[in-house]
Amino acid sequence: PLTLGEVRMLVELFYLPYHHGPLAQHLLEEFRWLRANSLSVGVPAAASDTCEGGRWRGRAQSFQWLCAQACRLHSRFVSCAGRALLYDLHPYLWDIRNMLLAASAFVLWLGCQSIAAPVLLGGDAEPWARRGGLLGELQALLPVGNSCDLFYHPPPLFPSSQLYLLRPLLPLDKVGKGVGQGSPLHDIQLSDAPALPVRLLGSFLSLSPEYTFVLEDEGGPCGYAAGALCAEDFLQQRDSSWLPATRDKYPRDLGADAPALGQEALLFFHAEPPAVPMPVLRRFPSLVQLGTAPRVLDVGASRSMAVCLLSALRANGSRGVFCQVNAADRQQLSFYSKLG
């Protein structure tokens, strides 16, 4: 059964619409402070090892722990609560878990990103754009808080107790200039073809690693969200340097005995990428790409990845994003459609 501490946490997260419990109030205060002071204390500049930088990282670690405890509460509640109580309260706890996954990863990103820029927020939103309570206040603190379609999704019909971790890319996740055997990211697509993960993530890991996030479950990496702040520069570098080097590494004749997925990836490398029209690049200057392994059935985790990636891009001034999807790729089209 749930412990007394877990029941207290549940109550404090949903205390009153305009009066938060101590835990929820502490979460909000820490998030506000961390966001406001990430630049002034020298994070992630060279001064991050100073007293102020150490203080920021200490409070960031404490915030991560609180978010992890709330996510664990969701998992424990799904496993322990009676069915009637579960279906009454699960939608609220599911929403909070998804929001804290994104907030936690965004704070981690603030502490390790290499681009110094103020956190930009959207304009004042209409009253209906945000929900009440802790969820609405956390939403307002994210740079994409006014994009209400990102935050309104029905909960799953069958609640899952799966624990997730969302975090920025770490050096361990990369091997050389792409994703290869031995890298944790190699298993995200559950493929035996080494070229496939390189096709999906290689250009982002080489050219835009600061906007790459990893979703993990108990089985390891199971999803990714990658972006490029300036898509025009990114695509130029991809076509002029990354693609030629990748074609040398994976020659066309390598695919003769490769699995079907590997052959598809090789065809991708050796085909000319479609050009992006300039009107698109002017209106939507940033590029994004997201994906999850087939075992990730909870759209909430995918939504958290999208919220975190878009928050990171918006924090550095992006005005809009686009993604490239093959018109025949029903799986990816369905994935993006479910995000709203």
Side-chain angles (χ1 to χ4, degrees):
L2 294 173
T3 66
L4 180 60
E6 288 168 335
V7 174
R8 182 180 292 114
M9 183 187 302
L10 182 64
V11 171
E12 291 183 3
L13 287 173
F14 305 98
Y15 195 69
L16 287 172
Y18 300 102
H19 186 191
H20 304 301
L23 172 69
Q25 190 63 43
H26 185 58
L27 271 170
L28 283 172
E29 290 170 358
E30 290 297 285
F31 194 17
R32 288 193 187 102
W33 187 90
L34 289 165
R35 199 196 63 176
N37 291 277
S38 63
L39 211 61
S40 62
V41 299
V43 178
S48 61
D49 292 332
T50 64
C51 181
E52 287 298 314
R55 182 184 175 209
W56 191 96
R57 295 193 181 279
R59 291 181 69 163
Q61 189 173 7
S62 174
F63 180 78
Q64 304 293 326
W65 183 83
L66 287 172
C67 291
Q69 290 297 103
C71 292
R72 184 176 180 273
L73 171 63
H74 168 267
S75 178
R76 292 266 295 131
F77 186 78
V78 171
S79 301
C80 300
R83 296 295 96 179
L85 183 62
L86 171 62
Y87 281 94
D88 276 345
L89 297 184
H90 177 258
Y92 305 100
L93 201 51
W94 181 75
D95 272 337
I96 284 291
R97 184 210 67 171
N98 296 335
M99 184 67 72
L100 291 178
L101 275 175
S104 175
F106 183 66
V107 166
L108 271 175
W109 176 81
L110 284 175
C112 66
Q113 60 138 344
S114 57
I115 300 174
V119 176
L120 301 175
L121 296 176
D124 292 336
E126 296 293 334
W128 50 262
R130 300 194 190 109
R131 296 159 77 171
L134 176 63
L135 186 77
E137 295 206 36
L138 286 170
Q139 178 185 336
L141 291 171
L142 288 168
V144 290
N146 292 342
S147 303
C148 38
D149 57 330
L150 282 170
F151 300 93
Y152 287 86
H153 288 269
L157 291 176
F158 302 101
S160 168
S161 61
Q162 179 67 64
L163 279 168
Y164 290 103
L165 170 68
L166 179 59
R167 59 171 176 79
L169 184 77
L170 299 175
L172 178 65
D173 298 315
K174 297 195 292 179
V175 173
K177 293 187 178 180
V179 182
Q181 300 281 5
S183 164
L185 288 188
H186 176 264
D187 296 325
I188 284 180
Q189 295 297 321
L190 303 181
S191 167
D192 292 326
L196 182 62
V198 180
R199 187 197 77 174
L200 293 171
L201 281 170
S203 57
F204 289 98
L205 296 182
S206 296
L207 305 174
S208 186
E210 63 272 22
Y211 293 106
T212 304
F213 295 86
V214 181
L215 181 70
E216 290 184 299
D217 61 12
E218 293 166 358
C222 59
Y224 69 91
L229 183 64
C230 181
E232 186 175 3
D233 291 347
F234 173 84
L235 295 174
Q236 287 177 355
Q237 291 183 57
R238 182 197 67 181
D239 297 344
S240 63
S241 60
W242 182 81
L243 263 180
T246 306
R247 286 167 179 164
D248 290 340
K249 185 176 181 180
Y250 297 100
R252 192 185 296 269
D253 56 6
L254 186 67
D257 299 320
L261 284 173
Q263 294 178 18
E264 179 190 341
L266 289 170
L267 288 174
F268 172 84
F269 296 145
H270 292 277
E272 285 302 316
V276 180
M278 282 306 299
V280 173
L281 290 171
R282 290 194 185 101
R283 186 174 178 186
F284 308 100
S286 302
L287 172 66
V288 299
Q289 181 174 295
L290 298 92
T292 58
R295 68 180 187 268
V296 180
L297 303 177
D298 188 343
V299 71
S302 304
R303 185 183 73 178
S304 297
M305 286 199 308
V307 168
C308 191
L309 173 59
L310 295 177
S311 291
L313 291 167
R314 173 64 185 149
N316 277 300
S318 176
R319 303 185 311 277
V321 304
F322 72 96
C323 59
Q324 294 178 291
V325 187
N326 189 319
D329 192 338
R330 294 184 179 181
Q331 183 178 356
Q332 277 293 90
L333 289 171
S334 173
F335 174 80
Y336 287 115
S337 297
K338 288 177 182 176
L339 290 180

